[in-house]
Amino acid sequence: MLSSAVEPWERADEDEVCSNNFNGFVTGGSSNSFSRDPDYPKANLQSSQVSRCPIEDGVVHTSRWGTVSPGTVLAAIAAALEPQQVQISLLLNEPVQTNDTDKLEKFERYRQMTLLAQLHNTWAATLAGDLAEVAVYQGPRLKGDLYLGPGGTWNDTKIPRVHYMDQRNGGFWQMTDAEARGGIDGLILSGAVQSWKEQLSRLRLSQLLEMYYSDRGVNFDTQYRACERQARLAEIRETSDLLLIQTINFARVLSYKSPEAVQISDEKLEEFSSKALQAYNSHLSSLLSALHCNDPLPFPRVHLDVILDGTWTTYEAMQVLAYLAQEADVSYYGSSMAVMNGEDATWILRETHNASDLFSLRNNTENSSDVTWPRSLNLKLSLATFSSYLAERLAEQRRRNVIGGPSHVILVLGYTATISDRDHRESVQIISRFKQQNPDVRFVFLASNINHLRFKELSTIDPSYPDVTIALPDSKVETVVTKIIEIITTIPGRITGGYCDGSSTETRRNGFEGYVTAGFPLTYRIHPLYLEHSGDVTLTFQGSGHGNLRACVSRDRGSTGTDCSEVKNLEEMALKISSPCANYAYQCPPVYLTITVTNTLTRCTEDDCRYPDQVRFLLHQEGLRCTRNPYSADSDTDVAPRSNSDLTLHVILQTVSLVLISKLIARF
């Protein structure tokens, strides 16, 4: 990924991937769409002919900011952190062959040049270096009619694995569009990275790149983001004379040292360098077109467990999952994701925080019989398997006194699924039992306009925290993923009671750690079952020295609330909720806790910091109702005694009703 390379030769797949390649992204029509796979046998080159769409390696796909060469960006940042300016005469060796009069003449001329003939490593690593290649290698061959580019397109926007280049330039790709964007971005970042490094000594490269290639921008100066590269470049272009000088000096060194360079006079080198810069300025409009900035949006942060039905072909299913992982922010700092075959309840993908694991699904599918893809949906089997797996995971967390964090979401992709009465009835029982032990887990059922009512009945098992059914008119990737993200982004995190030690409420101070990003509050929910029959509940916050926070409690979803307290720097603060269910005769509502950054010192440097301006907190709770360990030998698996649990009563009534209805239907 750090080096740029082109695979130019014919591959025998051009008729398929090149024919409509530059009218938009290749979409393919085959249901077995592995034909889009770039892993062609590289040894089976058909001839020495150049392909109509050569493959460009060492580039990355960004969602809205064009294809970029990351090696160029990294080289610029490295150069900026160790700036060097060297006379070109120090980079040249005297020719060994004394009869090469042209080279001897150049050597003497360059050696006698003044301090103006210097190379700056940042310019050489970015635009000047690539423009010098254009001048040296294209100038003599194209007689000054120089070309920048080409651009290209990806095999697939959802699973981008290969970048096909346009071949209209006749095989000259000294400065591709991806390299040009990388040079621009690298030059922009190189001008500020040293200052940022002084402000935060442990600024990580991953933080810098993620902030720049996002809508939020670099927190030290939010004008530094890829969507504003045109404005930042305009500031740099005021030094266009310096770019020309650096291009000429690098071209001199390259022409002198490269065995592939055509030896020309220094005057011609200057002329071709000037024409390369002119070609670059003319090409900028296409490089910077279609750039626009959006307001930054919050990322979902959930443990997303997916049950997949047979709606999509294997490749289409991988598109759905890959796009879902991208939009759900599956990453070390964001969401996790697991995928189950909804037909036989086997794992397609075990839980991961790495979205790139989804790109290995294709290899796993072809090379292993262990990975199978569904053709239908066995809902009760999948729910039973997932419920057992997830219940054990949650139980282990609570045994370790981890009582808060992202919510768990079980996403059932059942767009074309049909559910029998028996399957439906047993699914109700499985979900009911599971929610008695883990009431914070959310189920999201994705269905069509035809079968959504069947899933709708499953989403109302817990009336205090109903699940979600999504009915969609089609199963297109964008339609499906956009709606799912819209739902799961609004799901708050969870705070629960721990396991009991002989009493019904928590006496120990169980807690967890969290990080809040400036401008993006965190919201947590405490389920009513942890509030019922409890006395006073105390939430204690410990600051970390990263800045100040405000913590607010509300009983209404969507409302921040007015019962707020400040957590300043390293101070400790307690929020007290007195008798949380005393004033509610029928049903005790949940508690919503919203944590907001009011001031950041931009000093979050530990490994768990996603951004430098995050603020860390420790939260402990006392007084929440505890639950008995459902995996101990003598435990009752209910969260509350049956006589006092609205959820349990509702489940019993609904299950009995479904049994009676099914018997009546059977009689007719």
Side-chain angles (χ1 to χ4, degrees), residues 105-250:
E105 181 181 338
K106 279 188 177 181
F107 177 76
E108 290 299 326
R109 180 174 182 175
Y110 295 159
R111 189 172 63 174
Q112 295 173 15
M113 281 185 171
T114 65
L115 292 176
L116 290 176
Q118 292 185 339
L119 272 180
H120 194 289
N121 62 342
T122 302
W123 287 96
T126 55
L127 296 178
D130 284 327
L131 288 174
E133 287 188 55
V134 173
V136 169
Y137 296 124
Q138 291 188 25
R141 294 175 174 86
L142 301 181
K143 302 186 184 306
D145 187 15
L146 308 186
Y147 179 89
L148 266 67
T153 192
W154 290 87
N155 65 308
D156 189 322
T157 55
K158 305 300 182 298
I159 311 178
R161 303 184 66 208
V162 59
H163 188 244
Y164 297 108
M165 294 198 309
D166 188 349
Q167 173 50 8
R168 288 173 294 186
N169 66 328
F172 291 98
W173 39 69
Q174 280 74 31
M175 190 177 190
T176 67
D177 284 3
E179 290 175 320
R181 290 190 193 95
I184 292 169
D185 291 344
L187 203 58
I188 290 170
L189 291 172
S190 68
V193 67
Q194 187 65 54
S195 170
W196 297 335
K197 188 71 175 173
E198 291 172 359
Q199 295 179 57
L200 188 73
S201 60
R202 201 172 180 268
L203 176 64
R204 299 196 302 270
L205 178 63
S206 59
Q207 291 176 322
L208 178 60
L209 294 178
E210 181 180 0
M211 290 188 292
Y212 181 76
Y213 292 104
S214 72
D215 288 315
R216 80 184 302 271
V218 179
N219 65 271
F220 302 103
D221 186 346
T222 55
Q223 295 183 93
Y224 281 84
R225 49 181 179 167
C227 64
E228 293 196 55
R229 63 162 66 107
Q230 186 168 9
R232 302 289 75 74
L233 182 61
E235 299 168 356
I236 298 174
R237 289 182 70 189
E238 296 176 0
T239 61
S240 58
D241 290 342
L242 179 58
L243 175 56
L244 176 59
I245 292 171
Q246 289 292 306
T247 300
I248 292 171
N249 287 339
F250 195 91

Side-chain angles (χ1 to χ4, degrees), residues 458-660:
L458 297 175
S459 66
T460 57
I461 291 174
D462 181 357
S464 67
Y465 199 28
D467 295 311
V468 180
T469 298
I470 304 171
L472 295 178
D474 62 70
S475 59
K476 295 178 182 177
V477 176
E478 291 81 2
T479 306
V480 169
V481 173
T482 300
K483 192 62 180 179
I484 292 171
I485 297 302
E486 179 184 320
I487 296 298
I488 67 175
T489 301
T490 64
I491 296 177
R494 74 190 195 284
I495 297 176
T496 68
Y499 281 142
C500 302
D501 287 332
S503 62
S504 62
T505 59
E506 287 287 350
T507 56
R508 295 170 299 171
R509 290 184 54 173
N510 294 323
F512 65 96
E513 176 185 79
Y515 290 81
V516 194
T517 303
F520 298 96
L522 285 182
T523 301
Y524 294 92
R525 182 181 186 274
I526 304 176
H527 194 281
L529 294 180
Y530 300 113
L531 302 171
E532 293 173 350
H533 310 291
S534 64
D536 294 343
V537 175
T538 302
L539 303 176
T540 304
F541 295 83
Q542 174 66 59
S544 61
H546 294 160
N548 299 341
L549 297 170
R550 177 184 294 114
C552 299
V553 168
S554 170
R555 306 307 293 269
D556 299 316
R557 185 176 182 180
S559 171
T560 302
T562 57
D563 185 6
C564 303
S565 294
E566 294 284 333
V567 186
K568 295 183 178 179
N569 209 2
L570 291 168
E571 294 179 0
E572 184 176 277
M573 177 275 292
L575 272 175
K576 187 174 182 180
I577 308 170
S578 300
S579 302
C581 295
N583 297 324
Y584 301 94
Y586 173 64
Q587 188 175 41
C588 182
V591 168
Y592 292 94
L593 172 67
T594 303
I595 307 172
T596 307
V597 174
T598 57
N599 179 53
T600 175
L601 301 177
T602 313
R603 59 170 63 162
C604 196
T605 58
E606 53 261 38
D607 290 342
D608 288 336
C609 296
R610 182 169 192 162
Y611 305 119
D613 58 348
Q614 285 188 317
V615 177
R616 178 168 61 93
F617 65 89
L618 294 174
L619 189 155
H620 299 278
Q621 67 83 11
E622 290 181 273
L624 285 181
R625 188 175 178 196
C626 62
T627 60
R628 295 174 182 173
N629 186 343
Y631 296 94
S632 63
D634 58 347
S635 68
D636 182 353
T637 59
D638 294 332
V639 172
R642 290 186 181 273
S643 59
N644 295 322
S645 174
D646 292 335
L647 172 60
T648 304
L649 179 60
H650 181 84
V651 167
I652 293 172
L653 291 175
Q654 181 162 343
T655 304
V656 170
S657 299
L658 287 170
V659 171
L660 292 175

